[in-house]
Amino acid sequence: RLLSCPCCTLPVVFTFFHASSNKCAALFSGRYAHVFRQCALRTVCTITTGPDPVRLSGLGQVLHIDSADYGRSDRTTCSQGRPSEQLQNVNCASSTATDLVAEMCDGKSHCSVEASNSVFGDPCFGTYKYLQVSYCCKPIPIVRTGACEGHTADLSCDSGKVIRIHRADYGRSDRTICSQGRPSQQVQNVNCAASTANDHVAQMCNGKSLCSVSASNSVFGDPCGGTYKYLLVSYSCEPIPFGE
């Protein structure tokens, strides 16, 4: 069943590298994307022929474990076909269940957890137990970075995650970005864009944990001679897909 979740406010962070120093020249925060997290409660019973896993998934999103309980708190859940004496103890709970499931699943797009004593220990011998997991699927944050012409944009993800390019633009669409110290005539053309920028950056960076892209005509071609250009890249860091 679906559970309601509070609105989650995520900051949209933009970093930019200025041509004069190739350092982070400006960090803009304060722009927020309001999203709702979809939540779910999953229950699975233990079975004597082999543990049945709880399978959690959040395609395009990542898992956040709110709580996990392994044991028994009522006499009806997972009771079908079980002897009465295996259902009487309703004060049975593994003290480490939430921490264990969070360690296994947080930040992943898919996760399977076995409802078994081998994973959680046996909190109540002789009682037939079940695993309940309450979790939310949170949107994967979008990272925005860039570099002025002649410099390099560095993209990176934490261990276990890889880059997925959402958009890349090389050219000029306003007169303020990368304008410091440039002659006025070099920042006037705001209809300048390399048509292959997105495909080129995606080919270079998708599936990698680290990627550097030079903001230069030698990489993208020159879409507007005489205009001082810049590279803007939007990407996310997503869990490595299963089997890779």
Side-chain angles (χ1 to χ4, degrees):
R1 58 190 176 96
L2 292 179
L3 306 180
S4 61
C5 269
C7 179
C8 178
T9 302
L10 302 176
V12 178
V13 179
F14 180 90
T15 59
F16 201 83
F17 296 91
H18 192 270
S20 62
S21 62
N22 205 24
K23 299 288 186 180
C24 182
L27 178 64
F28 301 92
S29 60
R31 288 178 288 178
Y32 292 89
H34 295 276
V35 296
F36 286 92
R37 300 187 302 169
Q38 183 185 36
C39 296
L41 176 68
R42 295 287 176 84
T43 302
V44 70
C45 308
T46 54
I47 55 177
T48 55
T49 57
D52 187 27
V54 170
R55 293 182 176 87
L56 314 177
S57 65
L59 292 175
Q61 300 177 310
V62 291
L63 299 166
H64 173 75
I65 304 301
D66 290 321
S67 65
D69 298 289
Y70 179 69
R72 178 166 291 278
S73 58
D74 65 60
R75 296 185 175 91
T76 56
T77 304
C78 293
S79 60
Q80 186 174 358
R82 309 310 303 186
S84 174
E85 60 271 18
Q86 293 185 359
L87 311 174
Q88 297 307 304
N89 184 355
V90 293
N91 294 304
C92 170
S94 168
S95 61
T96 60
T98 296
D99 290 342
L100 282 171
V101 176
E103 184 177 353
M104 295 170 67
C105 300
D106 271 352
K108 297 181 180 180
S109 58
H110 295 81
C111 188
S112 294
V113 185
E114 289 185 350
S116 71
N117 295 337
S118 63
V119 175
F120 298 101
D122 190 348
C124 44
F125 181 78
T127 294
Y128 186 62
K129 295 165 283 289
Y130 52 86
L131 172 64
Q132 285 189 318
V133 181
S134 175
Y135 69 97
C136 285
C137 296
K138 301 194 298 183
I140 298 172
I142 301 297
V143 182
R144 292 178 171 86
T145 189
C148 301
E149 184 177 351
H151 296 270
T152 300
D154 295 314
L155 290 63
S156 64
C157 292
D158 293 336
S159 176
K161 296 183 179 181
V162 293
I163 294 165
R164 184 168 79 87
I165 300 299
H166 294 272
R167 180 168 178 170
D169 297 288
Y170 178 69
R172 178 168 291 277
S173 58
D174 70 52
R175 296 185 176 93
T176 57
I177 296 175
C178 291
S179 61
Q180 185 177 350
R182 309 309 304 186
S184 173
Q185 63 269 25
Q186 291 187 358
V187 298
Q188 295 306 304
N189 185 356
V190 293
N191 294 304
C192 170
S195 60
T196 61
N198 194 82
D199 291 342
H200 197 84
V201 176
Q203 186 177 6
M204 292 176 66
C205 299
N206 276 349
K208 297 180 179 180
S209 59
L210 296 170
C211 186
S212 294
V213 184
S214 176
S216 67
N217 295 335
S218 62
V219 174
F220 300 101
D222 190 349
C224 44
T227 294
Y228 187 63
K229 294 166 283 290
Y230 51 83
L231 172 66
L232 297 178
V233 181
S234 298
Y235 70 98
S236 58
C237 293
E238 302 190 0
I240 297 172
F242 277 146
E244 296 187 7

